[in-house]
């Protein structure tokens, strides 16, 4: 049984002008997501700027989100690290706080071998009992989990249940699902590939787009789950210009600008991320209007 099916939002973390987490606005953003049909919340991932949080701050945000959602939809905590011991400790805390699952990115910078990846993810799986979704994003980590490695982990550990695939390599993804024999819950990690990923057996998406368009992203996934790929494809095509604008600079720079455009006090980004370039912001604003998210 998948942790969730449909659109899970990789939720942004609002900050105050002094750099502290804006918990009041975070609560408002969580409610906006639930009210508009988001199927799960993924907290403290890339979009949530977890890389610039202290471990205490990171887990305070996770705990707040879990308590605010209060089991209305699943909450999946980003607890990955390039240090295996840190990933284990964060994952244990997430389980203690009541997370429905954890999302574990491949160890970045270290560039582990496939054997190293197996040992890394196995250490976390041995330490917790809640479900684990692996996160494969080689463009950010410099490290690719090969299909055979994913299948081995999912078959050997009952709590390693799936993968967020942001490889952009549909051939690799298709091969992985071909050899998986149904043991992998697959989620698209790219908003422009929801329909292709779901067409090869995906359960949904872990989405940046959902921050500003939760209902529309949910609907793309639901059409796929209903077998109506023609309608899903049409919705996906309609969203592509906005998705392109949301990734015109490194995530989450554009999406925090987009949240401000629709009335959320998303606040500043933490260095080394900087505010969106004016020419890119103008394009984003235009695409937000075209998509019907603002006047």
């Amino acid at each position: 049984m998948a942790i969730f099916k449909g659109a899970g939002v990789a939720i942004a973390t609002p900050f105050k002008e002094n750099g502290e987490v804006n918990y009041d606005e975070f609560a408002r953003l969580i409610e906006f997501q639930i009210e508009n049909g988001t199927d799960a919340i993924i907290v403290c991932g890339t979009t949530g700027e977890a890389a610039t949080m202290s471990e205490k701050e990171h887990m305070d945000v996770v705990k707040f989100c879990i308590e605010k959602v209060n089991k209305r939809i699943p909450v999946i905590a980003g607890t990955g690290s390039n240090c295996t011991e840190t990933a284990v400790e964060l994952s244990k805390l997430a389980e203690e706080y009541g997370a429905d699952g954890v999302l574990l990115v491949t160890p970045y910078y270290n560039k582990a071998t496939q054997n190293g990846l197996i040992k890394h993810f196995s250490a976390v799986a041995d330490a917790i009992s809640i479900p684990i979704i692996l996160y494969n994003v080689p463009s950010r980590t410099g490290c690719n989990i090969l299909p055979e490695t994913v299948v081995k982990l999912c078959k050997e550990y009952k709590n390693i249940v799936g993968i967020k695939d942001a490889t952009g390599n549909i051939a690799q993804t298709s091969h992985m699902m071909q050899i998986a024999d149904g043991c992998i819950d697959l989620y698209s990690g790219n908003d422009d590939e929801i329909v292709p990923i779901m067409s090869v057996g995906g359960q949904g998406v872990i989405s940046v787009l959902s921050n500003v368009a939760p209902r529309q992203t949910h609907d793309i996934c639901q059409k796929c789950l209903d077998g109506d790929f023609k309608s899903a494809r049409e919705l996906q095509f309609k969203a592509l210009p906005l998705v392109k604008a949301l990734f015109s600079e490194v995530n989450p720079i554009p999406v925090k600008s987009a949240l401000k455009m629709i009335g959320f006090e998303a606040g500043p980004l933490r260095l080394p991320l900087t505010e969106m370039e004016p020419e890119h912001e103008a394009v984003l604003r235009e695409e937000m209007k075209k998509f019907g998210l603002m006047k």
Side-chain angles (χ1 to χ4, degrees):
M1 184 70 175
I3 304 176
F4 76 96
K5 294 183 179 182
V9 61
I11 199 165
T13 305
F15 295 121
K16 298 177 182 178
E17 289 304 318
N18 65 2
E20 295 176 357
V21 176
N22 187 338
Y23 283 104
D24 289 341
E25 200 65 6
F26 191 38
R28 184 170 164 245
L29 185 56
I30 289 168
E31 292 302 324
F32 169 73
Q33 290 296 319
I34 294 173
E35 289 167 8
N36 285 279
T38 285
D39 298 290
I41 292 178
I42 294 79
V43 60
C44 283
T46 306
T47 312
E49 297 179 75
T52 56
M53 293 180 184
S54 69
E55 289 177 22
K56 181 182 185 305
E57 187 178 37
H58 180 149
M59 295 313 298
D60 284 348
V61 171
V62 167
K63 188 172 188 285
F64 178 88
C65 184
I66 291 167
E67 291 176 352
K68 183 64 181 175
V69 172
N70 194 25
K71 296 297 181 182
R72 287 176 287 174
I73 58 175
V75 174
I76 299 161
T79 54
S81 173
N82 66 333
C83 171
T84 302
E85 183 178 352
T86 301
V88 167
E89 291 307 311
L90 296 181
S91 299
K92 287 167 67 176
L93 275 175
E95 180 172 36
E96 178 185 324
Y97 293 161
D100 296 282
V102 297
L103 181 71
L104 296 181
V105 69
T106 51
Y108 37 88
Y109 187 76
N110 310 53
K111 297 181 73 171
T113 64
Q114 297 301 301
N115 187 51
L117 292 174
I118 290 169
K119 290 183 179 296
H120 173 82
F121 291 124
S122 297
V124 181
D126 284 333
I128 63 173
S129 59
I130 58 175
I132 294 167
I133 298 174
L134 310 178
Y135 180 16
N136 197 15
V137 57
S139 64
R140 281 188 178 264
T141 64
C143 185
N144 182 29
I145 317 176
L146 295 180
E148 292 77 10
T149 302
V150 180
V151 172
K152 177 180 175 66
L153 285 165
C154 287
K155 286 189 174 180
E156 290 189 4
Y157 288 89
K158 65 180 182 179
N159 60 333
I160 300 180
V161 299
I163 188 165
K164 175 185 176 182
D165 189 317
T167 62
N169 184 344
I170 195 66
Q172 175 176 300
T173 306
S174 297
H175 174 58
M176 179 180 69
M177 296 304 283
Q178 177 195 7
I179 64 175
D181 194 29
C183 73
I184 296 172
D185 292 333
L186 171 66
Y187 300 95
S188 176
N190 295 324
D191 284 307
D192 57 359
E193 294 182 342
I194 301 172
V195 175
I197 290 286
M198 294 190 72
S199 75
V200 297
Q203 302 283 357
V205 63
I206 294 176
S207 169
V208 175
L209 175 64
S210 283
N211 277 278
V212 292
R215 178 64 62 186
Q216 295 90 331
T217 313
H218 165 86
D219 288 349
I220 294 171
C221 295
Q222 192 59 54
K223 293 293 185 185
C224 290
L225 292 169
D226 293 341
D228 185 0
F229 281 92
K230 181 178 183 296
S231 296
R233 184 170 65 244
E234 291 169 355
L235 294 174
Q236 172 89 86
F237 287 164
K238 182 181 179 183
L240 287 180
L242 175 56
V243 171
K244 183 178 179 180
L246 285 169
F247 288 89
S248 58
E249 294 185 28
V250 67
N251 179 51
I253 291 173
V255 77
K256 292 197 87 171
S257 290
L259 282 167
K260 293 173 189 176
M261 291 175 192
I262 60 171
F264 285 97
E265 296 176 14
L269 295 125
R270 288 185 171 177
L271 288 171
L273 299 184
T274 54
E275 297 303 317
M276 198 173 190
E277 296 296 330
E279 61 270 27
H280 295 152
E281 189 169 37
V283 173
L284 175 60
R285 185 178 299 275
E286 187 61 29
E287 294 303 336
M288 291 280 285
K289 290 178 181 177
K290 289 179 181 177
F291 202 66
L293 298 178
M294 55 186 293
K295 295 180 179 179

